[in-house]
Amino acid sequence: MVLGDPPRFHPVAGFGRAAAALERRTYADSRAAGAAHVAVLVGAAVGVGALAERVRNPVARTLLTAVATWTVLGGTSLAGHGARLADELDTGDLAAARARIPSLCGRDPELLDAAGMARAGTESMAENTSDAVVAPLLWGAVAGAPGLLGHRAVNTLDAMIGYRSPRYRRFGWAAARLDDVVNWVPARVTVALVALAGAADAAVAEAAGALAGAPPSRQETAGQPLSGDPGPAATATFRAALRAARRDGHRHPSPNAGPVEAAWAGALGVALGGRTVYRHAVEERPQLGDGPPPNARDLRRAARLSRLVGGLAALIAATVAR
């Protein structure tokens, strides 16, 4: 999690190119063809991981596992892109911000204003912290290198073909459903970690504000609209994250992104959702959480929250793997 993704020649990008090349041979407008496509690619990734696990030299095996972990984790780059997007929005550099959006999500940046990019970045960091940080760490803890690489293969295929567009509605069905299955438990773990990380961040912000004599921030009062009990900042934020996930998570079309994004909205004291424009379709998403839409400041806090959640997930994974 310390090293970010390289700008070129990332192994996941290589997997994506291989998947695209295979798709040109396997594509057919059917669920069966899509399931076979997914089975071949995920099976190959799991097989590579299994070969790494069979290396007898413990030092070499540990090194291979470390490489596999670095390959699948995207937390450092994710939070970095989110923080830099916040800086670009703060300075009004919308051209640079639009150029950065494809690094975070699949929405059409030309159709987004500053508020839309702040929301897109916040939602993307929420979902991808679960999918690209917490989930692979947990799968690696319970299944080693095969779990790490297999999960990343599933997640990558979902991002490539798991759409409800005319081309992928049937061919991408298996990738989307398998992604839902492998991320179901990690998403619920992420909700709990968001509540804990948000509470810790709110406590620090409250203490810093008290020392400076500043009024409570939105984060420090994030729990009030949902809980009706302001309480300490940490308690309010913790309750707000969990209550938003329970109340709003099921409204989202994704069974995993819904609770995670709602928890993020509760922890930040903002409202997510609304009209979402992708290159392949336009979706009307339900509102998640209470409060105003996120701005650049909230986006920066979301990046900080992503790092905190990743650190907590790493601790859990290390404990489980022992």
Side-chain angles (χ1 to χ4, degrees):
M1 293 179 63
V2 176
L3 298 176
D5 295 335
R8 300 176 64 187
F9 309 120
H10 194 286
V12 175
F15 175 84
R17 288 191 292 271
L22 182 63
E23 181 185 335
R24 289 192 288 270
R25 294 178 174 273
T26 61
Y27 178 82
D29 190 17
S30 73
R31 289 184 176 182
H37 179 77
V38 170
V40 169
L41 290 164
V42 175
V46 171
V48 170
L51 289 175
E53 294 268 289
R54 295 183 65 179
V55 173
R56 293 185 178 181
N57 186 299
V59 175
R61 187 168 60 248
T62 300
L63 180 60
L64 288 172
T65 301
V67 171
T69 304
W70 166 80
T71 296
V72 305
L73 288 181
T76 301
S77 296
L78 176 67
H81 280 302
R84 286 190 288 275
L85 177 62
D87 292 340
E88 289 155 358
L89 293 177
D90 260 343
T91 59
D93 191 351
L94 298 189
R98 288 192 175 97
R100 189 172 302 282
I101 284 294
S103 298
L104 285 165
C105 61
R107 301 180 197 182
D108 189 343
E110 298 304 318
L111 301 178
L112 297 175
D113 57 9
M117 286 187 279
R119 189 194 122 207
T122 302
E123 291 174 349
S124 177
M125 274 193 288
E127 182 178 4
N128 285 306
T129 297
S130 179
D131 289 352
V133 180
V134 178
L137 283 170
L138 295 182
W139 274 103
V142 300
L148 284 166
L149 298 181
H151 174 270
R152 186 57 165 168
V154 171
N155 190 239
T156 301
L157 289 171
D158 178 59
M160 293 180 68
I161 65 174
Y163 297 112
R164 297 175 182 175
S165 64
R167 176 177 174 85
Y168 292 125
R169 188 177 300 276
R170 283 180 283 272
F171 185 76
W173 176 86
R177 297 292 76 76
L178 185 57
D179 186 75
D180 288 342
V181 171
V182 301
N183 285 310
W184 196 91
V185 170
R188 275 73 194 165
V189 173
T190 302
V191 168
L193 296 182
V194 169
L196 290 170
D201 195 45
V204 171
E206 183 183 43
L211 290 174
S217 69
R218 184 193 305 166
Q219 184 182 23
E220 293 167 28
T221 57
Q224 293 185 32
L226 290 171
S227 69
D229 175 19
T235 303
T237 302
F238 182 85
R239 290 175 177 172
L242 294 183
R243 189 168 301 204
R246 288 194 301 267
R247 187 192 70 180
D248 300 335
H250 68 280
R251 300 175 181 173
H252 195 282
S254 167
N256 298 325
V260 169
E261 290 183 17
W264 228 273
L268 295 174
V270 301
L272 299 176
R275 186 177 179 84
T276 304
V277 182
Y278 295 99
R279 287 185 170 87
H280 64 278
V282 177
E283 297 181 12
E284 293 292 340
R285 297 283 178 83
Q287 178 174 312
L288 307 176
D290 290 320
N295 55 29
R297 176 174 171 272
D298 299 312
L299 185 59
R300 192 171 289 106
R301 288 162 50 209
R304 187 166 65 243
L305 198 58
S306 177
R307 292 188 176 100
L308 288 171
V309 169
L312 290 172
L315 289 175
I316 293 175
T319 301
V320 171
R322 286 182 179 178

